[in-house]
Amino acid sequence: MTQASQHHDIPAICHRFDMQGEVIQHRPYGNGHINDTFLIQSTTAATYILQRINQHVFKQPLSVMSNIERVLGHWQQVLQAQNTHAAHRKCPQLLPARDGKAYIIDAAGNVWRMFHYIDGTRTIDVIETPEQAFLAAKAFGQFQQYLAALPTHHLAETIPGFHHTRNRFQALIHAIDADTHGRADEVRPEIAFVLARESDTGQLLDLQANGELPERVTHNDTKINNVLFDAESGEPLCVVDLDTVMPGLVAYDFGDMVRTAATTVIEDEPDVRRVDIRMDLFAALARGYLSSAGDSLSHNERHSLAFGGKLITLEQGIRFLTDYLQGDRYYKTRYAQHNLDRTRNQFALVRAIEANLPEMERIVTTSLGLTRKFDFHHKVHKELEALQ
Ligand code: GN1
Ligand code: MG
């Protein structure tokens, strides 16, 4: 897929933003599958993140940007109102373009944006300890709390039907029927796996349609490497990757955390024998999420969380499989069978979740959640003892 550094004049793009100094270094950054991301170093020692929005995926990039401006504006107000210490490290900040807009459009029509880099942070691809899982889930729950008062109609749907699992299922069926790359025969077992679970795909959508699950402002991409941790203290500072913040169900956010943070391996580990759910991490996620978001969840929402883990993992496998059948157009891939390996990995995780679902449901419905004023330094170890 596109290596933007080979095609774009990165320093020239940066200089259309209100950055200090000149670009002395730029390099591709992070593990995102969609946008092109660069780390930019300036002569003044300031560091920035530059991103090109993938317009095959985000068909209305300016709606993405206006959503992000709304979300950040609201979030910053909440932090100010709470008199938050070191607030500039607890919320991403856009660097405006020289014309005052939040983005620039280059001659080829690409939309670019720049963020201030938050110094002294790190991300985690595979969670190692329950403490990390607890803190990451708490950060996502907190993010939802920050945005709870933002009316959902203020945000555009940046990818229509993003977690509409029934439509994702239909898209897979179309891809199988079209079989444009002659790959359907090779993936018969994976197709059978999905067909056997068709009834799962509509469950939460039906509850939502009946008014039993409320729509909220959700993050929708709560992959664990979208949390920035303080590199020294390990404290979660903020969540990033706001392109898909839009109306959704809390089960989607909790579900994607389960998919990415309660597992033994990363999502593209090809050896499926290594894929499993870690119940200690799952319990820590539940405690962390409920500690920050728990008070606001309805009975039905709380009961939807564990199933959300299964559903979003199934959906992700369906999405990888669809992309494989369509010739790897959506996700960045590094080798020919990358999307197929990812699919098999996700389906192995679905099986592991299915084997543990009753226990997972028991955990989310009985975890009491901690008080909102959870003190990171003093209470985290104590609370986690209860999980051992
Ligand atoms: C994409 O690029 P990244 O890693 O933030 C995708 C997510 C998937 C994820 C799978 C807009 O996110 O939905 O869960 O890959 N984002 C979009 O790793 O499709
Ligand atoms: Mg993303």
Side-chain angles (χ1 to χ4, degrees):
M1 302 258 346
T2 329
Q3 280 307 305
S5 53
Q6 290 157 20
H7 305 286
H8 305 290
D9 185 347
I10 299 291
I13 290 163
C14 291
H15 289 131
R16 291 184 58 189
F17 289 90
D18 197 15
M19 62 172 283
Q20 300 168 9
E22 306 291 315
V23 174
I24 45 170
Q25 214 192 3
H26 58 86
R27 63 173 171 87
Y29 186 74
N31 298 328
H33 295 341
I34 309 291
N35 295 324
D36 294 325
T37 305
F38 301 90
L39 186 72
I40 310 293
Q41 225 95 44
S42 99
T43 42
T44 63
T47 312
Y48 305 95
I49 293 288
L50 174 73
Q51 281 187 313
R52 184 181 73 101
I53 300 180
N54 179 331
Q55 292 186 48
H56 295 292
V57 169
F58 296 104
K59 310 253 187 262
Q60 300 199 319
L62 302 193
S63 300
V64 171
M65 291 314 297
S66 56
N67 270 14
I68 292 183
E69 287 188 87
R70 280 239 155 88
V71 165
L72 290 180
H74 188 89
W75 184 354
Q76 276 152 10
Q77 269 176 16
V78 175
L79 291 181
Q80 261 172 26
Q82 294 180 349
N83 228 340
T84 306
H85 173 68
H88 65 287
R89 300 189 77 219
K90 301 203 171 142
C91 177
Q93 273 179 38
L94 282 165
L95 183 74
R98 296 204 190 272
D99 65 5
K101 294 207 173 85
Y103 55 85
I104 65 114
I105 304 180
D106 70 17
N110 292 299
V111 177
W112 299 80
R113 64 190 175 202
M114 242 173 149
F115 290 97
H116 291 271
Y117 180 79
I118 305 180
D119 282 321
T121 52
R122 73 174 191 113
T123 55
I124 301 175
D125 284 317
V126 180
I127 292 278
E128 287 131 23
T129 65
E131 182 180 0
Q132 290 169 343
F134 178 92
L135 293 170
K138 182 173 144 58
F140 277 120
Q142 200 156 50
F143 175 79
Q144 278 174 1
Q145 295 301 301
Y146 289 147
L147 299 184
L150 186 65
T152 50
H153 67 266
H154 284 195
L155 296 176
E157 208 178 349
T158 54
I159 300 181
F162 191 54
H163 287 309
H164 195 296
T165 317
R166 200 184 267 135
N167 286 358
R168 297 286 188 185
F169 178 91
Q170 284 308 329
L172 173 64
I173 300 297
H174 289 312
I176 298 165
D177 289 346
D179 197 17
T180 50
H181 288 68
R183 292 175 168 179
D185 264 346
E186 181 194 0
V187 297
R188 288 292 156 204
E190 286 73 25
I191 293 172
F193 183 91
V194 178
L195 294 181
R197 288 161 181 79
E198 180 179 1
S199 64
D200 285 335
T201 62
Q203 278 200 33
L204 297 187
L205 292 165
D206 289 346
L207 290 172
Q208 182 181 2
N210 296 339
E212 291 174 56
L213 288 175
E215 190 177 69
R216 297 186 187 267
V217 174
T218 47
H219 183 283
N220 295 305
D221 190 6
T222 54
K223 205 168 164 175
I224 215 61
N225 61 15
N226 281 331
V227 182
L228 297 186
F229 290 88
D230 186 288
E232 243 175 61
S233 69
E235 180 184 7
L237 290 173
C238 68
V239 307
V240 294
D241 194 352
L242 308 173
D243 295 332
T244 52
V245 177
M246 58 184 161
L249 300 181
V250 294
Y252 300 151
D253 276 6
F254 187 74
D256 208 38
M257 286 181 235
V258 174
R259 180 182 82 79
T260 58
T263 59
T264 42
V265 288
I266 200 158
E267 69 184 12
D268 49 10
E269 165 59 51
D271 182 356
V272 294
R273 290 165 308 181
R274 297 187 55 214
V275 178
D276 206 352
I277 179 108
R278 273 188 57 184
M279 291 302 283
D280 59 336
L281 298 183
F282 177 82
L285 284 178
R287 297 293 301 261
Y289 185 65
L290 294 171
S291 77
S292 50
D295 291 356
S296 63
L297 299 186
S298 70
H299 173 86
N300 287 346
E301 284 182 299
R302 191 186 263 249
H303 279 262
S304 71
L305 296 179
F307 177 75
K310 175 181 172 188
L311 183 73
I312 290 294
T313 310
L314 177 66
E315 180 189 282
Q316 188 65 62
I318 291 174
R319 292 174 63 194
F320 286 142
L321 182 56
T322 306
D323 198 33
Y324 184 67
L325 288 167
Q326 294 180 331
D328 310 310
R329 298 186 312 201
Y330 188 94
Y331 294 104
K332 294 185 183 185
T333 50
R334 287 193 305 275
Y335 57 91
Q337 298 230 318
H338 201 165
N339 272 321
L340 182 54
D341 282 345
R342 289 168 170 155
T343 305
R344 291 179 171 151
N345 172 308
Q346 297 295 285
F347 290 168
L349 184 57
V350 170
R351 279 190 205 282
I353 293 175
E354 284 171 347
N356 288 281
L357 203 53
E359 173 65 2
M360 291 164 73
E361 270 160 4
R362 195 192 61 72
I363 290 169
V364 282
T365 50
T366 55
S367 279
L368 287 175
L370 310 170
T371 83
R372 285 237 185 101
K373 291 200 180 65
F374 183 80
D375 177 335
F376 169 74
H377 287 294
H378 295 107
K379 289 193 186 155
V380 69
H381 292 290
K382 213 168 135 214
E383 291 302 331
L384 279 161
E385 269 168 23
L387 300 170
Q388 308 304 317

